[in-house]
Amino acid sequence: MGYGSGELIIRSYNAQNDRVRVEGLESICEVGPADKPFLFTDTLGDPICRIKNSPIYNMLVAELGGQLVGVIQGTIKLVTLHKPPKNVAKVGYILGLRVAPAYRRHGIGSRLVTKLEEWFVACDVDYTYMATEKDNEASYKLFVNKLGYVKFRTPAILVNPVNHHRSSQISSNFKLTKLKIEEAESLYRIYLSSTEFFPIDIGNILRNKLSLGTWASYPKGETWGKVPTSWAMLSVWNSGELFKLRLGNAPISCFMYTKSSQLIQKFLPCFKLPSIPDFFNPFGFYFIYGVYGEGPLYGKLVKSLCNFVHNMASSKPKDCKVIVTEIGGNDTRSKLHIPHRKSMSCSEDLWCIKSLKNEDRKSVHKLTTMPPTRALFVDPREV
C-alpha cells in the first residue's frame, strides 16, 4: 500500500532515539472503542514498562517520512496449553498496538502485527494471542477478519474501586497468612499448573519486586500446616509502579458526579454512599492474580482476601484507585464473591489466538472448541 509520505519503515525500538516520540504517540492514542469513554496510558518515561518483566520481549516502531506513526509490543514465554502430544507451548503475546490517529486505515497496524509475527516465528513460537475489548470493532476486524486469529476465551475483568475513607470488613471467623514465595510457588504448581496459560516461570513472577506477596485464608481453629477443610489464596501485583491510566472521552455529567460523590463521602460519611474515584487524573492500580481455593467456604474466604487487599491499597498513596482481577469466563464461583463494581467491570473480555506453525493449525480448532478449564491464569506481567 502506498503511504504518500514515503516508505513505511518498521524497526526495533531504540530507547535513546525513540523514547520521547513513543511517549508522545501514547499521549494521543486512546485504549478502547473511540465512541465510549477510554483510557490513556502514562508509561512514566519508560515505553517498554509493560513488557520488560517478561522473559523475552520486543517493541517495534513504524516510521513514515521521518515521523513515528505506530508502535507494537510483544512478549514470549512458555505456558501450559493443552495441545497433544504435549501440554506446554511457547506463546507470543501481542499488546500495545498504537497507530497515530492521522495515519489510521492505511494498513500500518496490520504491517506492525505481521512484522511482530515474523519475530515470533524466528523465536520458534507455537501460538500468538492478543486480548481486546469484546466491542472493539476495529481491533476485531484487524485480528480476526484480516489476520486469521480466532476467538479463544472470554475472561471476565472485575474492577473494584478503592475507598480511601473506609475499610472493608474482614470476617473474624477466618485467619489470613502471608505465604513464603517458595510455598506459594509450590501450591500454584500443584493446583494450577494444569490450567490454561499457566506460566512455567511462575517463580520469577512471584519473586518480582512488583509482586507484593501471596496470601491465604482459612477458617480459624484449623492449621495451615494441614490442608484446611476450606481455603483460598491469591497474589497481588502493583501495576501502578509501572504505568498510570487516565480516563478520557467521558461526559461532563460523569465528571460532576465523581466530584460530588467524593465531597459527600468526605464531609458526610454517615450517608455511606459509594464514592467514585477520580479517574480523570493519572491513577495506578493493584492487580490480583492466581486466585484459587477449595472447600465449601471458598467464596467467603476469597472475599475476605479481596477485602484485605482493598484495605492494603487504601492505606497506600491515593493514586491507587482500583483493584483489578481477571478470571476465567466460566469461573462463576469466584466471580460471585470477588468484590467488584458491575458498571466498571467487563463481563466478557476477548482473547484471540493464532497458530504460527503449519502442524499446529488443526489444533487451534480443538483449542477453541474444547471446554475451558474453570481457572485461567492471567500473567500480571501482561496486564
Side-chain angles (χ1 to χ4, degrees):
M1 176 182 289
Y3 297 98
S5 302
E7 180 186 359
L8 182 70
I9 299 173
I10 297 179
R11 58 171 175 78
S12 292
Y13 166 77
N14 180 291
Q16 184 175 350
N17 298 328
D18 300 327
R19 181 182 62 82
V20 173
R21 294 195 297 166
V22 171
E23 284 188 299
L25 180 64
E26 285 278 2
S27 69
I28 62 172
C29 288
E30 71 281 358
V31 181
D35 59 340
K36 295 184 178 181
F38 47 70
L39 294 171
F40 287 104
T41 304
D42 180 357
T43 59
L44 305 178
D46 185 5
I48 62 168
C49 64
R50 292 181 64 195
I51 58 175
K52 67 181 183 181
N53 289 290
S54 295
I56 306 173
Y57 60 87
N58 193 10
M59 182 175 187
L60 302 178
V61 300
E63 283 185 317
L64 188 61
Q67 293 191 59
L68 194 145
V69 298
V71 297
I72 194 170
Q73 301 178 39
T75 64
I76 298 174
K77 63 181 177 180
L78 287 172
V79 302
T80 300
L81 198 61
H82 302 295
K83 61 177 201 73
K86 57 182 180 177
N87 288 327
V88 174
K90 183 182 281 190
V91 297
Y93 179 57
I94 296 174
L95 70 161
L97 175 60
R98 309 277 191 268
V99 176
Y103 293 89
R104 292 174 185 172
R105 295 181 175 83
H106 292 288
I108 295 174
S110 59
R111 284 281 302 276
L112 281 165
V113 175
T114 300
K115 281 293 184 181
L116 190 63
E117 288 179 349
E118 291 174 4
W119 176 68
F120 286 150
V121 170
C123 294
D124 197 34
V125 165
D126 299 302
Y127 300 93
T128 177
Y129 72 107
M130 49 76 69
T132 187
E133 299 85 357
K134 186 182 66 170
D135 53 358
N136 191 332
E137 187 176 345
S139 182
Y140 184 89
K141 285 182 177 179
L142 172 62
F143 283 94
V144 177
N145 296 351
K146 188 172 184 178
L147 297 174
Y149 286 71
V150 292
K151 291 188 287 185
F152 178 51
R153 294 291 179 256
T154 54
I157 300 176
L158 310 179
V159 180
N160 188 34
V162 175
N163 189 329
H164 289 277
H165 303 289
R166 189 167 66 240
S167 298
S168 297
Q169 185 175 0
I170 299 175
S171 174
S172 59
N173 296 322
F174 303 138
K175 187 172 182 179
L176 274 66
T177 184
K178 186 175 183 179
L179 304 181
K180 294 181 179 179
I181 291 176
E182 295 76 14
E183 185 178 11
E185 180 179 355
S186 176
L187 286 170
Y188 279 136
R189 292 194 184 280
I190 291 171
Y191 292 102
L192 290 182
S193 62
S194 62
T195 62
E196 292 175 330
F197 281 82
F198 179 82
I200 302 304
D201 67 333
I202 179 64
N204 291 336
I205 298 174
L206 296 172
R207 289 176 177 83
N208 192 292
K209 65 179 182 179
L210 296 173
S211 193
L212 301 181
T214 302
W215 287 266
S217 180
Y218 55 97
K220 274 191 174 179
E222 300 189 35
T223 59
W224 182 248
K226 298 180 180 180
V227 179
T229 55
S230 293
W231 61 278
M233 66 183 292
L234 55 75
S235 299
V236 184
W237 185 270
N238 187 7
S239 297
E241 284 293 310
L242 286 178
F243 62 94
K244 306 293 184 186
L245 299 173
R246 176 174 60 83
L247 187 67
N249 200 35
I252 188 65
S253 58
C254 180
F255 177 79
M256 296 301 295
Y257 180 70
T258 298
K259 293 302 182 184
S260 61
S261 71
Q262 291 172 344
L263 289 173
I264 293 173
Q265 183 66 248
K266 182 177 181 179
F267 295 109
L268 298 170
C270 57
F271 284 97
K272 298 186 183 299
L273 296 175
S275 176
I276 305 296
D278 178 11
F279 296 131
F280 298 94
N281 292 307
F283 64 92
F285 64 97
Y286 282 175
F287 183 77
I288 292 177
Y289 68 100
V291 180
Y292 187 76
E294 294 184 348
L297 295 177
Y298 165 78
K300 293 181 179 179
L301 289 165
V302 79
K303 183 177 181 180
S304 182
L305 283 171
C306 289
N307 287 343
F308 168 78
V309 175
H310 172 272
N311 294 346
M312 183 169 65
S314 67
S315 67
K316 300 299 180 183
K318 292 190 176 183
D319 68 343
C320 181
K321 299 290 178 64
V322 294
I323 298 167
V324 181
T325 313
E326 189 165 6
I327 59 174
N330 62 336
D331 189 2
T332 53
R333 69 166 190 161
S334 295
K335 186 177 181 180
L336 286 172
H337 297 282
I338 293 176
H340 63 281
R341 190 79 61 83
K342 187 175 181 180
S343 61
M344 300 170 64
S345 302
C346 174
S347 60
E348 282 191 22
D349 198 27
L350 180 61
W351 286 18
C352 297
I353 193 170
K354 177 182 178 179
S355 171
L356 295 180
K357 294 181 177 179
N358 290 330
E359 62 269 24
D360 287 332
R361 293 206 171 132
K362 289 184 179 179
S363 65
V364 166
H365 177 72
K366 293 180 181 179
L367 283 170
T368 56
T369 55
M370 66 188 297
T373 57
R374 185 190 68 202
L376 176 69
F377 197 99
V378 179
D379 193 329
R381 299 172 297 189
E382 297 175 349
V383 173

